[in-house]
Amino acid sequence: SDFLAGRWSEAKEMVEKALAEEYAPFVTKEFRSLAEKVRRAAAAPKGMTYVPAGKFRMGDTTRAVDGPPGEAEVLEDYYIDIREVTVGEYAAFLKARGGKHEGCSADEPSDKSHLPDGWDPEKVDQPVVGVDWWDARAYASWAGKRLPTESEWERAAGVEPATGKKRVYPWGDEFRPEWGASALGCEGFDNDVLEWVTDWFEKYPWS
């Protein structure tokens, strides 16, 4: 992820040079649009990475719950966390909330506790597990973020932005988990920790 951030920073420097006053007469509308994307990518908040909008193949043929495949589209660029929320990060949320529900969804049950099942605060660097949708949403809101849509999650998890090609695994088409990160530098999309999204469980538009 640090490597990717460095490359975006280098790209931004090159873009800004190309937009310098002496080159202005030669800069096209398309290049200015590209420059804005590069700027947003280079400005990704700490711990997050930039994901460009676009069409891509979404869905899987191996499990009915993930299919059938079809063409999805993410209409706007966005940022997504590079890694899952850790126990340490979630503990900070629990401490700050102190059992109160300020900032939670209005339709969240009033007696909802955000303490995860099997909570072990000692595993500070491990992904937090045992959270339900309300927990995930409340944490995201507290952190000034939001849960991704399913298509946003899928695009970040295993799509090569330059080609729109969907990878079999986040790191590529071969089972080589030591590669770890996705094309966008995200990690953890290949393990057994399930992530929550905003979408309801229902048919895909193309199904």
Side-chain angles (χ1 to χ4, degrees):
S1 58
D2 290 339
F3 171 77
L4 196 62
R7 296 300 298 271
W8 278 126
S9 180
E10 291 175 9
K12 182 177 180 295
E13 288 183 16
M14 296 175 67
V15 162
E16 299 300 351
K17 288 180 180 178
L19 291 173
E21 188 173 343
E22 62 265 33
Y23 301 120
F26 310 102
V27 176
T28 64
K29 180 180 178 180
E30 289 76 13
F31 186 83
R32 290 189 183 280
S33 177
L34 175 64
E36 283 305 308
K37 290 186 176 183
V38 171
R39 285 168 175 160
R40 287 198 295 274
K46 183 176 177 58
M48 305 187 81
T49 190
Y50 168 80
V51 186
K55 295 181 179 180
F56 67 104
R57 190 77 170 166
M58 181 171 135
D60 195 349
T61 58
T62 60
R63 300 194 311 163
V65 71
D66 295 325
E71 186 179 83
E73 183 175 12
V74 174
L75 299 176
E76 296 183 0
D77 303 349
Y78 59 101
Y79 299 122
I80 196 167
D81 284 357
I82 293 171
R83 301 176 184 84
E84 298 110 331
V85 175
T86 66
V87 168
E89 291 167 334
Y90 196 85
F93 157 69
L94 291 177
K95 182 178 180 180
R97 278 295 162 87
K100 299 177 181 179
H101 285 251
E102 288 91 343
C104 294
S105 174
D107 52 351
E108 178 179 294
S110 59
D111 59 348
K112 175 77 178 80
S113 167
H114 290 302
L115 191 68
D117 293 337
W119 175 243
D120 185 354
E122 299 302 316
K123 298 180 178 180
V124 292
D125 295 324
Q126 295 297 311
V128 65
V129 297
V131 297
D132 62 21
W133 187 87
W134 295 112
D135 298 329
R137 187 196 178 284
Y139 172 84
S141 176
W142 171 80
K145 301 177 182 180
R146 65 172 175 81
L147 296 179
T149 65
E150 183 180 3
S151 56
E152 287 173 338
W153 190 94
E154 288 280 353
R155 185 164 174 79
V159 172
E160 296 181 18
T163 63
K165 179 182 180 296
K166 178 178 171 62
R167 294 173 163 190
V168 176
Y169 304 100
W171 55 80
D173 292 333
E174 298 177 40
F175 186 67
R176 296 283 297 278
E178 65 271 17
W179 290 354
S182 71
L184 294 166
C186 296
E187 300 174 10
F189 287 108
D190 56 307
N191 61 21
D192 295 329
V193 178
L194 299 178
E195 286 92 0
W196 288 102
V197 297
T198 57
D199 300 72
W200 287 96
F201 185 72
E202 57 188 9
K203 287 184 178 181
Y204 290 140
W206 55 81
S207 174

